[in-house]
Amino acid sequence: MYDDLPAGLLTTLTYGLSLAEHPDWQHGSPELCLSVNSTNVIWAHAVGFLAEQLRGTCPFTYGSTINFGERIVPESEMTAFCVFAPMVLDRDDYLGIDVGVPGHEGHDVINIQGMYPIHEVERQFINERGLEAFWKSDWEPTDVLRRPAI
């Protein structure tokens, strides 16, 4: 977990999700990245909790939505996440990261997936119309106190 990196955001990365296996992970295994405009570390713990609980069962592919089942933190009405490219990393820094030991390159590849807190109505919208339609709406991905964009 990184406070104020980049400036004004709490950013967290998981470790361990990629050690599991999932049939959808053909070109690398995911780790998760969340960046939010908050100082509440519960956001980081929530992403770690999801990585642990859904390891091997959720593909964490772009467009996936995850219902947390309750408010993620008390001060926000958000109860879900959607998965897309992480906003705080360059493409070369989040795709195809080879963590294999020398001589075993290409066997352990990680792709960092961005996690975005969303409202339940937004989760339903994404599931019905797709992530692209939602992504084009007027919303601020780091604002955990925002009203629903839909």
Side-chain angles (χ1 to χ4, degrees):
M1 180 173 54
Y2 303 93
D3 189 25
D4 208 33
L5 185 70
L9 300 181
L10 173 73
T11 297
T12 188
L13 295 155
T14 61
Y15 172 78
L17 175 61
S18 61
L19 299 175
E21 294 184 12
H22 191 282
D24 290 354
W25 300 345
Q26 300 298 313
H27 303 289
S29 304
E31 289 296 345
L32 308 177
C33 177
L34 170 79
S35 295
V36 291
N37 187 3
S38 177
T39 57
N40 192 333
V41 298
I42 294 174
W43 288 107
H45 293 283
V47 171
F49 173 80
L50 289 175
E52 174 65 25
Q53 294 299 307
L54 301 176
R55 174 191 323 238
T57 61
C58 178
F60 293 101
T61 53
Y62 289 0
S64 295
T65 61
I66 300 150
N67 184 359
F68 198 72
E70 61 184 276
R71 285 181 178 206
I72 300 162
V73 299
E75 64 270 14
S76 174
E77 295 180 9
M78 295 179 176
T79 60
F81 290 93
C82 69
V83 181
F84 192 53
M87 61 184 279
V88 297
L89 298 171
D90 292 329
R91 184 178 176 87
D92 289 342
D93 294 330
Y94 68 80
L95 287 181
I97 304 164
D98 193 337
V99 295
V101 296
H104 203 254
E105 292 87 2
H107 296 298
D108 295 313
V109 176
I110 303 246
N111 296 307
I112 299 174
Q113 310 289 69
M115 297 287 283
Y116 296 88
I118 56 174
H119 294 274
E120 175 59 20
V121 66
E122 295 168 335
R123 187 184 73 80
Q124 292 172 8
F125 181 90
I126 292 168
N127 288 343
E128 292 169 9
R129 295 194 168 164
L131 180 61
E132 185 176 356
F134 172 71
W135 206 263
K136 291 179 179 179
S137 64
D138 186 25
W139 69 297
E140 171 50 52
T142 64
D143 184 357
V144 296
L145 300 178
R146 66 177 175 78
R147 298 178 55 87
I150 303 302

